[in-house]
Amino acid sequence: MCGVFGVFNNKSAAELTFLGLHALQHRGQESAGIAVSDGYDINIRLGSGLVTQAIKEEDIKELKGDIAIGHVRYSTSGGSNPKNIQPFFAHFYGGQFAIAHNGNLVNAERLKRELEMEGAIFRSTSDTEVFVHLIAKSRQPAPPHINLHKNDEDFLPHVFEAMKKVKGAYSLVILREKQLIAVRDPHGFRPLVLGKNRSGSYFVASETCALDIVDAEYLRDINPGEVIVIDDAGIRSYYPFEHTENPKKCIFEFVYFARPDSKIFKDWVYSVRKEFGRRLAKEYPIDADCVIPVLDSGLLAALGYSEESGIPFEIGLIRNHYVGRSFIQPSQEIRDLSVRLKLNPVRDVIEGKRIIVIDDSIVRGTTSRKIVNMLRRAGAKEVHMLISSPPVVSPCYYGIDTPTKEELLASSMSIEEIRKFIGADTLGYLSLEGMLEAADKTKGYCTACFTGHYPVLDELFEEIQIP
Amino acid sequence: MCGVFGVFNNKSAAELTFLGLHALQHRGQESAGIAVSDGYDINIRLGSGLVTQAIKEEDIKELKGDIAIGHVRYSTSGGSNPKNIQPFFAHFYGGQFAIAHNGNLVNAERLKRELEMEGAIFRSTSDTEVFVHLIAKSRQPAPPHINLHKNDEDFLPHVFEAMKKVKGAYSLVILREKQLIAVRDPHGFRPLVLGKNRSGSYFVASETCALDIVDAEYLRDINPGEVIVIDDAGIRSYYPFEHTENPKKCIFEFVYFARPDSKIFKDWVYSVRKEFGRRLAKEYPIDADCVIPVLDSGLLAALGYSEESGIPFEIGLIRNHYVGRSFIQPSQEIRDLSVRLKLNPVRDVIEGKRIIVIDDSIVRGTTSRKIVNMLRRAGAKEVHMLISSPPVVSPCYYGIDTPTKEELLASSMSIEEIRKFIGADTLGYLSLEGMLEAADKTKGYCTACFTGHYPVLDELFEEIQIP
Amino acid sequence: MCGVFGVFNNKSAAELTFLGLHALQHRGQESAGIAVSDGYDINIRLGSGLVTQAIKEEDIKELKGDIAIGHVRYSTSGGSNPKNIQPFFAHFYGGQFAIAHNGNLVNAERLKRELEMEGAIFRSTSDTEVFVHLIAKSRQPAPPHINLHKNDEDFLPHVFEAMKKVKGAYSLVILREKQLIAVRDPHGFRPLVLGKNRSGSYFVASETCALDIVDAEYLRDINPGEVIVIDDAGIRSYYPFEHTENPKKCIFEFVYFARPDSKIFKDWVYSVRKEFGRRLAKEYPIDADCVIPVLDSGLLAALGYSEESGIPFEIGLIRNHYVGRSFIQPSQEIRDLSVRLKLNPVRDVIEGKRIIVIDDSIVRGTTSRKIVNMLRRAGAKEVHMLISSPPVVSPCYYGIDTPTKEELLASSMSIEEIRKFIGADTLGYLSLEGMLEAADKTKGYCTACFTGHYPVLDELFEEIQIP
Amino acid sequence: MCGVFGVFNNKSAAELTFLGLHALQHRGQESAGIAVSDGYDINIRLGSGLVTQAIKEEDIKELKGDIAIGHVRYSTSGGSNPKNIQPFFAHFYGGQFAIAHNGNLVNAERLKRELEMEGAIFRSTSDTEVFVHLIAKSRQPAPPHINLHKNDEDFLPHVFEAMKKVKGAYSLVILREKQLIAVRDPHGFRPLVLGKNRSGSYFVASETCALDIVDAEYLRDINPGEVIVIDDAGIRSYYPFEHTENPKKCIFEFVYFARPDSKIFKDWVYSVRKEFGRRLAKEYPIDADCVIPVLDSGLLAALGYSEESGIPFEIGLIRNHYVGRSFIQPSQEIRDLSVRLKLNPVRDVIEGKRIIVIDDSIVRGTTSRKIVNMLRRAGAKEVHMLISSPPVVSPCYYGIDTPTKEELLASSMSIEEIRKFIGADTLGYLSLEGMLEAADKTKGYCTACFTGHYPVLDELFEEIQIP
Ligand SMILES: Nc1ncnc2c1ncn2[C@@H]1O[C@H](COP(=O)(O)OP(=O)(O)O)[C@@H](O)[C@H]1O
Ligand SMILES: Nc1ncnc2c1ncn2[C@@H]1O[C@H](COP(=O)(O)OP(=O)(O)O)[C@@H](O)[C@H]1O
Ligand SMILES: Nc1ncnc2c1ncn2[C@@H]1O[C@H](COP(=O)(O)OP(=O)(O)O)[C@@H](O)[C@H]1O
Ligand SMILES: Nc1ncnc2c1ncn2[C@@H]1O[C@H](COP(=O)(O)OP(=O)(O)O)[C@@H](O)[C@H]1O
Ligand code: SF4
Ligand code: SF4
Ligand code: SF4
Ligand code: SF4
Ligand SMILES: [Mg+2]
Ligand SMILES: [Mg+2]
Ligand SMILES: [Mg+2]
Ligand SMILES: [Mg+2]
């Protein structure tokens, strides 16, 4: 997962992008970058780690210009690879541009091979570069149903053609010398919103919380399949695909990824999460003394469960705010204490009580196991674990860095086996139906990681071998 | 405010102290330090900033030994002064020791002057050094009622004499070549607890949450006026004062400072804070749609208010986890956005609603004002602000870095004036009586910052000019 | 200017490259990078600043593999641009490779435009990427006169074709999954040497001093127009050009750039520089009390002058070793002292004396002016400045970052005017003939910056507008 | 060894001290610190490493005031101990002061014990703190022969009394709220000079090269036993000792420590070093092809040898400028290459030649051995090593961090044995007489490390057990 941000027409473009990325920090902590155009040239600064580590005050000062884009990158298994830090810069025959990408292409490898056969070189191992090449290669005119503004004639047809070639999830921001462009894939896997502030600057962001931090108003979602161009001539919208796809919004954004104060896919994450909790309460009416969240991801479902069931909500596990990446490598003897660095039980709440503990999902199960154990050692009489989503049985191919199928506990264990593994008295997962209804299923969601049915992948099953 | 930690008899003494300080990080972010004894020599590493910034992995490796103490220091107005970073090391005729201090002495200046007249030099501007000198100077034998273990004959009389001379608040840990000593002032202003782990290591800490992180059991509080010595001959307790003082535990520890998962003064912070909220609900029954906390300090009072009143509890303001010290200096244009870096309203919760917002205290009032304003801009119909303690009218002289009387809003404004200033529809403070009852007033509390009646200061009013 | 290094068949490939770059640090201080292949994948670490700043110990540990290349980059006017840090990584249809480049292409812009017209994208603003694209695009077979080893059939024809297309200066190292390739342009502008150590590892480096630091023997120069391939099948040499070009070795390498302990172009820099000094003595027999160098570049010419003339050699200006990049930005009042940070006169040597001071070249003249002034303030009776090369009148287009013609003092001022500007009693430049003879002119040198006659540029005068 | 610097009456006091310390960097690289007074308060910033690492630009900005002192500290065996970084700050009954010290007291341990018996605490393990205590303790009036200016009545008698109590080497700068004081011990072991700039600021520094960098004129040496006070009332000189001691200037300052562009003990280091070389030439007339220095310490002696003997001077070993502290920890396989990081032979100069190589001294002999070996591998036919001082047979107790007697090669080996150990064809040391005459022996020098006769120590032989 990643976060993208863009701003048009603001003297402090780099600084606002810095703030926006800060608000999107939860979408990626591996690296961060900002690209700015002064109308003629595009300049980039990027680095590893959190936004405040990757980009320094002097970087911001050097990034002069009124248009900017930014990116935060999610921590992936392979560690921090400097080749892949975004935004990517490109110079092609049509000029310069920079691009930042949230999502994952399912036909990237095939396109890469094709492009390489035509002489393309790839300087990263990231999908995003496929886009860059497709844009630069393209020679097709715009589709006939599209009426292009004259400012868009030179570049946009390239973007359209690239969009036709790639399959998968992408919410993009593109920076040109004098334009900001935002693109969302036709299934609309990843969120992307448009905003405007009182002095007339435009903003594009993965989530509305990034609009809030720059004091901009949410205007609307960028729609699945839509391309938005912003320049001195105003703001224009294009739909390069003639046929609409079924929307396949990532329901996991509601379950886990997005921030609770964001509105994504036209709904408030906050309400949807609470509704997950309410439905959990209906599906699993348990006799207990209190409901506690695994902070932060279980917070709102626990609140919803409490409201629906009447069982008191308590903060039974405190989350330490200061846990960071740069923590000392604990010695062998001390390693076992490492869970405690992040979460600590409030014995006062736990001791002698029957506890319902709620988290958003179980992936490998090791953290859940430690939590159950920690609660028991703090004196819990019973520990009932509820999960505000169905079992994760399959990896995501659309931009969320889930582990392989083998590592997913639920791909090989029954719920009862998982319950035993983590040591809980009860283990309950929200039903698929319950989850979809909470999120308003008419809107069209991807649920592949819960079901194994991949919306885009199925059509291309030669691409990826689903294990 | 500050936090102290000590460990005796553990191969990983420095590493455990690092963890303990990490759990006490909320008690001080300005600087941190660790002193370790290998039985012969005391070694120190310290630095500015958070524990992870001040102390590096290689520092930990260099700090070899089985006994250690540590300190986190609170951010004071004067900025980070390297002279004052603790623990302090001292070599005197009786050998080496290191000391770390939580609290504030009210007669420090007078003692300093006296000591200086006798030739003492002070290398810091901190109270703690007064202690160090008093210990080194002392020539008095132990008080007659005290029966000293032979290991304690050389050093402890110094500590006793020092304790007799100083007035004020102090919870100390002292590291000697082969001993760990813990000291709490006779009024017991600041908390200090004793713990032990399964392999027989002893721990001393400001709060129990620091015992949790090292997987130690809470044994008991170190009592007001008590001195505890731990060495190879075991653990011994002394009470150097013949007459007991009235305990004057700092009630503000419950209101704000201590972590909710800690037990201090033999009570759980969590429960006391919730009880503050319940009493607020009784004192201020308001008709509203929801109760929201100002995170984190208002969290539990808001929960208590909700439970007592039946008004739903919501997380109406999200707190960004990644706000740190090293944030870029915002340019003039951007400065106004800076509240948003820390807190963001959840519009979904706020819009069109009558909101009760709860915080622990109001100091200068600027943050409260911004919060009310932010809630109104997010669409709140009514904003009722409740505070889980009485108005702060006077500075603290016992170790909490409150601003001067002039800067304390409540020292010069009536509650109605404050209400207008912050722009709330209602402003209510918990009554002194309500606060004390919630915390069990029979235990003996200092409430000077709420009342202006200073327990120790009164006897010494020549010392400090109360404005 | 830049430095390149390569190693084949060594367990500590990354570490040795680190050392090699360290020895080449004088060729570039802006940034540094290392790429390593473990036989299957290529991994890169890079950063800004000196080698020790750009590459950390943990980077070295992560760079596992037996083949490596490295690069140090010269500080250019535009400041440190992260896009341009080398080595560059590329994935194309033939696999992965990484490339590091010393030199400058004169037809880069035209090739870039052509490549872009065919859909290429450029992710940096550096010439080197042109090479990368040409390699990836190429479809030509090897030239008929070349007999390819079977290991070289897939990749080397690409390199040959790229070499045919580019014009200008390039000494390259290319890292493939299982090969190390070294390439030198047909004019041989930049040095490139081959070495081997006692355990059979091969090395390629810009200068022999980098062989010394890894304890490798110098085998021979890589010849102008030569391509060398090293892999498990051994070491092979190819000459893709059928007709030999006149060698155009950069004489400025002898004048300034190369380290005095290096052998380049088959000659020792040390001896050539001393000979420059001896010839200066013949051309400018001055009656003086001592000869002093402007350290370090004037050192050996001063020694040669002294030997030839019999005038004593002294170190009249001490050079501070600790001047680095991270120096504080001096305040306005202090700025004038900044020359002193680098050089300080030895009054003992200077006072009351007639001084000959020798430097390698004068570019903008500001430093020379300050030096003359500093010597006079230290009491010099006469200051005679001699320069061990002719006046620099034209910019370099082959990889040395000289300023524009306008900024070159000698492009618009007569020698007498320069003498007045810097305030010297005498100013003498080594004659072109003298310089060439000292370096053995039969070897074929570029002298364009001294004469304005550009060897490669002339044939392509449509490419660059010579001002 | 260490370096001290002081400035009085300059708006940029901290910045100039930063520059001054920079020029004194060769006297200590372990840590650095600056103390500044704004007339009322003294503020300190300090840290580990080089001046540019220890003190940051923002530190300089925070250090406001017109009077400042600074210190660079020499690397001692025990590694960097934060307790001991200077300047030291002290608050005593007479106010605040800060102190920085170059030297070593021989009776520090005894004084420490005495002071501790009277209740003093030591917060460092450094001698300097003894001074601080003695100043603060003192109650004696000034000696009768001294006529004190009224500004000096309160503080200076303390300094005088302290000076009477300590034995050993000290050149001190003391910063008070409104005064700068400079002190030199009665034997004058360490240099200390006074300077003034054109705008009337005064400066004190260990060496004149630090005056040069701030563009100040050398006025005179501070004399052995002299105390100089500078404040708004002007500059005053005192001699607290009635009887003059024999000067015992450290001859090793000329041999090795001071910078060649400095004037110390009223003589130019440059000339004295060259004279060492000339005398070496007379004492060891060797038939050789060239003379080369071990840079930098052997530079001027080699030049002097060459001048006297007529044998050509060459730079046969290049010294890498970029070797710093933060170098990667070389792996086992690579460790042997580490000499090469610092020095590299110029094969051109060495091959087939009979070489005289000159260094200032031999301590443990390991470096000399590696150098001889390196020269032989570079093809030297003969290697004659000459040393510009006599064999070091005894440790220094006056502030130079020599190893213990056991580690000193010459304390247990004959010259012939050392010659064999390092592998040279000849090994010659400058005679004691030769060294003293070169430095003008009438001035009074300490030569204890060469002779074992300790000037101050002998009187106090109970203090230190000379091995
Ligand atoms: N400031 C915040 N306050 C509350 N929730 C947040 C905040 N930032 C991110 N979140 C939510 O926190 C969850 C991720 O945090 P958490 O569960 O603590 O991390 P993890 O489980 O990955 O360690 C997500 O659901 C995200 O929506
Ligand atoms: N990890 C934690 N979780 C919840 N509360 C915490 C945590 N750490 C500290 N606290 C509490 O948070 C409060 C301080 O945080 P907060 O109100 O956010 O800071 P401030 O108001 O000083 O900016 C204190 O009441 C403290 O007890
Ligand atoms: N370690 C070294 N010792 C002596 N000369 C060196 C060394 N490293 C580089 N050089 C030479 O120093 C010169 C560059 O240094 P210098 O003149 O001091 O720098 P600049 O003039 O660019 O400030 C070059 O001629 C280079 O060959
Ligand atoms: N900038 C400089 N130029 C020449 N000599 C210097 C300089 N700075 C210090 N020195 C001298 O260099 C010597 C120390 O350097 P060097 O011999 O290289 O170090 P070491 O032998 O301790 O490794 C001393 O004699 C000192 O006087
Ligand atoms: S597979 Fe899961 S995580 Fe991935 S897009 Fe679909 S719902 Fe979201
Ligand atoms: S004055 Fe207030 S903050 Fe200080 S100790 Fe008393 S109750 Fe606590
Ligand atoms: S123009 Fe000058 S610097 Fe450039 S390659 Fe030719 S000789 Fe060298
Ligand atoms: S013993 Fe040697 S180094 Fe020490 S002061 Fe005397 S001459 Fe100098
Ligand atoms: Mg979670
Ligand atoms: Mg708060
Ligand atoms: Mg130079
Ligand atoms: Mg040396």
Side-chain angles (χ1 to χ4, degrees), chain D residues 183-344:
Chain D
V183 179
R184 191 154 164 231
D185 69 68
H187 294 94
F189 282 99
R190 299 282 147 235
L192 196 63
V193 298
L194 180 71
K196 191 174 180 178
N197 75 4
R198 279 172 288 182
S199 51
S201 308
Y202 281 96
F203 298 88
V204 177
S206 291
E207 300 183 21
T208 58
C209 66
L211 301 180
D212 293 341
I213 208 173
V214 295
D215 208 19
E217 292 277 299
Y218 165 77
L219 291 181
R220 64 174 180 86
D221 274 32
I222 291 169
N223 291 317
E226 185 179 12
V227 175
I228 279 189
V229 186
I230 313 174
D231 62 14
D232 284 341
I235 175 162
R236 296 176 294 282
S237 163
Y238 298 99
Y239 288 86
F241 296 94
E242 274 175 284
H243 313 287
T244 16
E245 305 276 345
N246 286 331
K248 291 291 177 190
K249 293 160 189 156
C250 170
I251 196 137
F252 220 92
E253 292 273 351
F254 280 125
V255 170
Y256 170 78
F257 228 88
R259 234 170 74 172
D261 50 340
S262 285
K263 187 188 219 170
I264 57 164
F265 308 147
K266 302 184 188 157
D267 263 316
W268 288 102
V269 176
Y270 191 96
S271 301
V272 174
R273 283 196 189 156
K274 275 187 70 178
E275 183 61 25
F276 289 157
R278 275 201 205 89
R279 284 176 187 266
L280 263 184
K282 286 177 199 151
E283 298 186 8
Y284 300 94
I286 294 172
D287 195 20
D289 298 311
C290 64
V291 188
I292 68 169
V294 179
L295 289 177
D296 288 307
S297 46
L299 176 66
L300 296 167
L303 214 48
Y305 191 102
S306 164
E307 274 182 31
E308 181 67 30
S309 66
I311 298 173
F313 169 87
E314 304 282 358
I315 301 290
L317 291 159
I318 287 291
R319 180 155 178 213
N320 194 322
H321 297 326
Y322 300 99
V323 176
R325 328 185 103 221
S326 67
F327 212 78
I328 58 158
Q329 202 62 25
S331 69
Q332 200 57 44
E333 301 85 23
I334 300 300
R335 194 143 316 158
D336 303 338
L337 306 177
S338 70
V339 222
R340 293 289 172 91
L341 290 174
K342 196 168 167 188
L343 289 170
N344 195 40

Side-chain angles (χ1 to χ4, degrees), chain A residues 15-295:
Chain A
E15 200 175 353
L16 291 174
T17 303
F18 184 91
L19 292 178
L21 293 182
H22 188 72
L24 298 172
Q25 185 74 81
H26 62 291
R27 295 184 75 86
Q29 291 103 41
E30 184 187 283
S31 67
I34 296 179
V36 174
S37 170
D38 59 8
Y40 301 95
D41 266 311
I42 289 175
N43 236 305
I44 294 196
R45 288 293 176 280
L46 34 72
S48 297
L50 299 179
V51 178
T52 48
Q53 295 165 328
I55 305 195
K56 296 294 168 200
E57 203 164 344
E58 47 172 32
D59 292 324
I60 296 288
K61 279 187 199 129
E62 288 167 16
L63 290 175
K64 300 215 168 73
D66 285 9
I67 328 176
I69 62 172
H71 189 264
V72 286
R73 190 176 145 79
Y74 194 65
S75 174
T76 55
S77 41
S80 170
N81 190 334
K83 289 188 282 213
N84 291 336
I85 304 181
Q86 300 197 18
F88 283 168
F89 169 83
H91 196 289
F92 80 126
Y93 72 94
Q96 307 174 26
F97 65 98
I99 192 167
H101 174 208
N102 174 22
N104 194 63
L105 308 182
V106 297
N107 62 343
E109 284 311 311
R110 189 171 61 180
L111 291 171
K112 231 174 200 170
R113 257 176 290 133
E114 289 172 13
L115 285 160
E116 284 180 353
M117 290 315 291
E118 295 162 28
I121 53 157
F122 284 83
R123 293 190 44 201
S124 72
T125 56
S126 138
D127 284 10
T128 313
E129 212 176 352
V130 170
F131 245 101
V132 177
H133 278 287
L134 290 173
I135 288 173
K137 288 248 153 210
S138 158
R139 289 294 183 278
Q140 302 285 20
H145 73 283
I146 298 269
N147 209 342
L148 280 175
H149 184 281
K150 76 173 190 320
N151 284 4
D152 302 337
E153 283 166 2
D154 62 334
F155 191 76
L156 230 45
H158 304 306
V159 174
F160 296 161
E161 196 186 341
M163 289 170 75
K164 295 235 164 103
K165 293 220 167 119
V166 303
K167 305 274 176 208
Y170 52 91
S171 282
L172 298 173
V173 286
I174 300 174
L175 174 71
R176 296 189 67 213
E177 290 97 332
K178 298 177 197 297
Q179 286 185 326
L180 175 67
I181 300 171
V183 178
R184 193 157 163 227
D185 69 69
H187 294 94
F189 282 99
R190 301 281 148 234
L192 197 62
V193 298
L194 181 69
K196 191 176 180 177
N197 75 5
R198 280 172 289 182
S199 51
S201 308
Y202 281 97
F203 298 88
V204 176
S206 291
E207 301 184 22
T208 59
C209 66
L211 300 180
D212 293 342
I213 208 171
V214 295
D215 208 21
E217 293 276 300
Y218 166 75
L219 290 180
R220 64 172 180 87
D221 274 33
I222 290 168
N223 291 317
E226 186 180 8
V227 175
I228 278 188
V229 185
I230 313 174
D231 62 14
D232 284 341
I235 175 163
R236 296 175 295 281
S237 164
Y238 297 99
Y239 288 87
F241 294 95
E242 274 175 284
H243 313 287
T244 16
E245 305 277 342
N246 285 333
K248 290 293 177 190
K249 294 160 187 156
C250 169
I251 195 135
F252 221 92
E253 292 274 352
F254 280 125
V255 170
Y256 171 78
F257 227 89
R259 234 169 75 171
D261 51 339
S262 285
K263 189 187 217 169
I264 57 165
F265 307 147
K266 302 182 188 159
D267 263 315
W268 288 101
V269 176
Y270 192 97
S271 302
V272 174
R273 283 196 189 157
K274 275 187 71 176
E275 185 60 25
F276 289 157
R278 277 201 203 88
R279 282 175 190 267
L280 262 184
K282 286 176 199 151
E283 297 186 11
Y284 300 94
I286 294 173
D287 196 19
D289 298 312
C290 64
V291 189
I292 70 169
V294 179
L295 289 178

Side-chain angles (χ1 to χ4, degrees), chain B residues 93 118 136-137 139, chain D residues 113-120 137:
Chain B
Y93 72 93
E118 296 161 27
K137 288 248 152 210
R139 289 294 183 278
Chain D
R113 257 177 289 130
E114 288 171 13
L115 285 160
E116 284 181 353
M117 289 316 289
E118 296 162 26
K137 287 250 153 206

